[in-house]
Amino acid sequence: MKHLTGTVKSDKNLHSAIVDVVKFKVHPIYLKRIKVNKSYAVQNDLGAKVGDRVRIEETRPLSKTKHWKIAKII
């Protein structure tokens, strides 16, 4: 199972949250690190609030966009 760490960006939906995951890529020519953000729709059963650092893990498809759930609030 895949695990990612990110920050809760939105918790306005009933059982869902939007988690922003920051990764760093290296530019192929200039060899500088570039920050890349990606947002994931996750199942929020633990009640995480905006600004919380969370660990998310991959799960079966729960809806059209939700394929992740919050495993732990850090």
Side-chain angles (χ1 to χ4, degrees):
M1 247 192 262
K2 294 182 185 178
H3 295 282
L4 297 173
T5 303
T7 306
V8 177
K9 188 162 58 168
S10 172
D11 64 346
K12 293 182 180 180
N13 295 330
L14 188 58
H15 296 290
S16 301
I18 304 297
V19 175
D20 197 30
V21 175
V22 176
K23 294 182 183 178
F24 288 94
K25 288 177 54 178
V26 177
H27 192 279
I29 295 174
Y30 301 117
L31 303 178
K32 292 188 119 191
R33 290 177 13 150
I34 302 167
K35 191 189 313 186
V36 178
N37 297 339
K38 185 167 181 185
S39 296
Y40 294 92
V42 299
Q43 181 74 17
N44 188 9
D45 291 332
L46 299 180
K49 300 292 180 190
V50 175
D52 288 349
R53 295 274 301 164
V54 294
R55 181 179 179 141
I56 61 175
E57 65 182 17
E58 196 174 30
T59 183
R60 64 179 178 83
L62 300 171
S63 70
K64 181 180 176 182
T65 58
K66 285 195 298 186
H67 304 279
W68 297 82
K69 68 176 182 178
I70 294 178
K72 181 180 178 183
I73 298 175
I74 301 173

